[in-house]
Amino acid sequence: MSSATLKENKMGTQPIGRLLLTMSVPMMLSMLVQALYNVVDSIFVARISELQYELTAVSTAFPIQNLMIAFGTGIGVGITTLISKSLGEKNPKRARRAAAQGIMLEICSCIIFVLIGLFGTEAFMRSQTGNEEIIRHGVDYLSICCTFSFGIFIEITFEKLLQSTGKMVQSMLSQAIGAIINIVLDPILIFGMFGLPAMGIKGAACATVIGQMAAAVAAIIFHLASNRELRIAPSDFKLHKKLIAKILIVGLPSVLMVAIGSVMTYCMNKILFSINKVGEIATTVFGVYFKLQSFLVMPVIGLNNGMVPIIAFNYGARNKKRITKTIRLSVIAAVCIMLCGILLFQLAPEWLLGLFGAENEMMSIGKTALRIISLNFIFAGYCIVISSTFQAFGNGLFSMIISFIRQLVVLIPVAFLFARFGELWQVWLAFPIAECAACVMCTVMFVYLYKKLIKPLGEGPSKDDLLKKLTEQFEKGEITEEAYNHKKADILDNL
């Protein structure tokens, strides 16, 4: 049997639980590695001084760092989609050209952030706070991260090239290499070890960009060693406007989805800084929360990356039963992950804040913040999965609308009003309020999508039909007896 047929049989007959697990776990681990970069920086930066201006500066710089990830991964999604489609259509030439055009787009994105690093970091920091210490540390940190951002853009680009051809393990390994180097270098460069001078917050930035460069080198090596389908020639870098347009059509919505989060973070920083007496501490606490919650959200996003192709395949096969079961199991798994997060944030906020050196007023404000904001986890797992379901059916606009309304139409105005007319603890209520609104929108849109796209589908082939077809393949000698027994067990277990 061909590899394509084997993949179809797996996607169409393997028990959904096992299929979802095997497809999601590598991506979940990969996303967890991604969450390490800023978190590790912040943990070590928090120990530079008792006043923690450096930690506040890192939190204030985060929107720009997140925006870099938005451009890198968003364009990367467009690259991956076009390459995978081209290879599936047996068109390796177009796949190579798509890879080359994608690399050029990522280079252009990188140049934008290099210019920001050279000329725009101080203006960005001053737009959020007037504290000169925070501004100085923020400029020191962000200028290095942006000026040397070619590491993260190269890393993301070649990881996407690996993912586009199914090299998930190599992609994960390159990320792990970068994260480990970052973790090792952070204390060495920040505090000065092994004869090196203490660089403070500049050391954290240097550790980050060196880790990114190492990951980029690893990704390039893995690409050259294993991605034989994408041997890019110099002629492939000739400008192809149609290919660039196709990459951007798919990639820009992904860029905007993540960019909305950067805008929200920037606006929340401004709102919190405006609160008298406790604004700086509140901003630091918000930055700490945002990094901590990534360890819950990232695995759910990895789960979604495994879920989407299963739904898309079975939508093509018109198998409503497998689609609904995939969605149901994904929602259950996501909700369970987020419930674990609620328990952690409710029962051990002191321990979580202690990782970032919180004491006295920061600990007091932080405990209240983590316990209130984490209430949104009740709805977040469900919302994330349902939003990805829309993308699986080609309705990415639904996901963007929900993200826009949740973060910019509900969360920011509610937080602004509470900051202006209420108390600090009420500002944190904006997060569960916004997530409730998103939950309602997700449900309404999913009901619409279900009635329009899922309900009209058939139930897919029956157990008897699948067994009959499998028996015919075995009798014709198309599959071995071992494969026959294995696939028969899958059919019986799943149906």
Side-chain angles (χ1 to χ4, degrees):
M1 271 179 103
S2 68
S3 59
T5 307
L6 283 172
K7 184 177 180 181
E8 289 183 4
N9 282 335
K10 172 185 173 181
M11 298 286 279
T13 63
Q14 190 174 98
I16 291 296
R18 187 168 74 200
L19 182 63
L20 189 62
L21 187 67
T22 56
M23 293 189 67
S24 298
V25 168
M27 291 306 302
M28 293 171 73
L29 293 173
S30 178
M31 298 304 286
L32 276 173
V33 169
Q34 282 284 1
L36 278 175
Y37 277 113
N38 286 327
V39 173
V40 171
D41 274 352
S42 297
I43 289 174
F44 285 112
V45 164
R47 287 160 172 75
I48 295 176
S49 68
E50 292 183 4
L51 294 175
Q52 295 198 327
Y53 287 137
E54 295 88 352
L55 180 58
T56 307
V58 171
S59 299
T60 309
F62 181 71
I64 292 291
Q65 289 182 293
N66 198 50
L67 202 58
M68 283 192 282
I69 295 173
F71 274 82
T73 57
I75 294 173
V77 168
I79 298 170
T80 302
T81 302
L82 185 54
I83 290 175
S84 298
K85 184 174 183 293
S86 299
L87 292 175
E89 294 172 350
K90 309 299 182 185
N91 192 340
K93 184 177 181 180
R94 188 174 67 178
R96 293 193 300 270
R97 286 182 174 176
Q101 305 305 300
I103 291 171
M104 290 193 294
L105 283 173
E106 295 281 17
I107 291 173
C108 291
S109 299
C110 179
I111 291 172
I112 293 172
F113 287 97
V114 169
L115 292 174
I116 291 174
L118 293 173
F119 306 110
T121 53
E122 183 173 350
F124 173 76
M125 294 298 298
R126 289 192 181 279
S127 70
Q128 297 179 84
T129 179
N131 187 304
E132 291 297 329
E133 283 296 306
I134 295 174
I135 291 171
R136 179 171 64 84
H137 291 305
V139 170
D140 287 344
Y141 181 80
L142 196 54
S143 59
I144 293 173
C145 290
C146 289
T147 305
F148 296 94
S149 59
F150 58 85
I152 190 171
F153 280 98
I154 294 172
E155 170 195 349
I156 291 173
T157 302
F158 281 89
E159 283 170 2
K160 291 301 181 184
L161 295 186
L162 289 165
Q163 292 172 16
S164 68
T165 56
K167 309 296 190 303
M168 309 303 289
V169 173
Q170 290 91 328
S171 175
M172 184 178 66
L173 285 174
S174 63
Q175 292 179 7
I177 290 169
I180 291 170
I181 290 176
N182 185 21
I183 293 169
V184 171
L185 289 180
D186 259 325
I188 295 173
L189 298 180
I190 290 173
F191 304 112
M193 300 170 65
F194 306 109
L196 294 174
M199 298 175 65
I201 197 169
K202 290 183 179 179
C206 289
T208 295
V209 297
I210 291 171
Q212 291 166 351
M213 291 176 191
V217 171
I220 291 173
I221 292 172
F222 286 136
H223 167 75
L224 294 175
S226 60
N227 254 356
R228 302 186 183 280
E229 310 96 309
L230 294 176
R231 294 300 187 205
I232 304 171
S235 59
D236 293 324
F237 286 94
K238 181 181 178 181
L239 188 65
H240 290 274
K241 294 181 180 179
K242 290 184 178 179
L243 290 181
I244 288 177
K246 288 180 179 180
I247 291 172
L248 292 177
I249 287 170
V250 176
L252 282 180
S254 297
V255 172
L256 292 174
M257 285 279 288
V258 182
I260 287 171
S262 289
V263 175
M264 182 276 289
T265 307
Y266 175 82
C267 292
M268 277 299 301
N269 285 343
K270 286 183 67 68
I271 290 170
L272 293 170
F273 270 124
S274 71
I275 300 175
N276 292 331
K277 297 182 180 179
V278 297
E280 292 174 6
I281 298 174
T283 304
T284 304
V285 167
F286 173 61
V288 168
Y289 158 76
F290 216 80
K291 292 170 176 61
L292 289 171
Q293 60 92 35
S294 67
F295 279 96
L296 300 170
V297 173
M298 289 299 193
V300 176
I301 293 174
L303 171 71
N304 288 347
N305 289 341
M307 174 196 74
V308 167
I310 299 174
I311 293 176
F313 174 86
N314 285 284
Y315 179 53
R318 301 186 64 79
N319 192 326
K320 181 171 69 175
K321 183 177 180 180
R322 288 179 65 82
I323 292 172
T324 54
K325 187 171 183 179
T326 301
I327 296 171
R328 184 170 66 252
L329 289 178
S330 298
V331 167
I332 291 171
V335 169
C336 287
I337 292 171
M338 300 308 287
L339 286 177
C340 291
I342 292 176
L343 290 175
L344 184 61
F345 276 58
Q346 295 295 322
L347 300 177
E350 297 93 343
W351 178 76
L352 293 173
L353 292 163
L355 294 173
F356 299 86
E359 296 179 358
N360 304 324
E361 194 169 15
M362 181 180 170
M363 181 64 76
S364 176
I365 292 173
K367 287 193 295 183
T368 301
L370 294 189
R371 283 176 172 148
I372 292 176
I373 298 176
S374 64
L375 295 175
N376 80 79
F377 294 167
I378 298 171
F379 313 103
Y382 166 81
C383 291
I384 294 171
V385 170
I386 296 302
S387 292
S388 294
T389 300
F390 298 148
Q391 293 175 321
F393 285 99
N395 286 272
L397 182 61
F398 283 8
S399 302
M400 192 184 305
I401 291 171
I402 291 170
S403 181
F404 179 80
I405 293 176
R406 177 178 65 237
Q407 298 188 76
L408 301 185
V409 177
V410 179
L411 193 155
I412 293 302
V414 171
F416 175 80
L417 290 174
F418 281 145
R420 179 64 64 88
F421 303 108
E423 299 179 17
L424 176 59
W425 69 268
Q426 293 172 311
V427 175
W428 309 127
L429 286 172
F431 288 87
I433 289 172
E435 207 63 50
C436 285
C439 185
V440 172
M441 287 187 294
C442 280
T443 301
V444 170
M445 290 182 177
F446 180 74
V447 169
Y448 168 80
L449 182 141
Y450 181 86
K451 290 180 178 179
K452 183 178 180 181
L453 298 179
I454 301 176
K455 190 175 181 179
L457 299 177
E459 295 295 337
S462 67
K463 176 177 68 176
D464 292 338
D465 290 338
L466 289 171
L467 289 172
K468 181 179 179 181
K469 182 177 180 180
L470 185 65
T471 301
E472 290 175 353
Q473 291 176 334
F474 176 62
E475 291 175 347
K476 291 178 181 179
E478 295 178 356
I479 57 174
T480 64
E481 183 176 359
E482 182 181 359
Y484 169 78
N485 290 330
H486 179 71
K487 293 178 187 300
K488 181 178 178 180
D490 279 349
I491 293 170
L492 293 174
D493 287 344
N494 197 46
L495 297 171

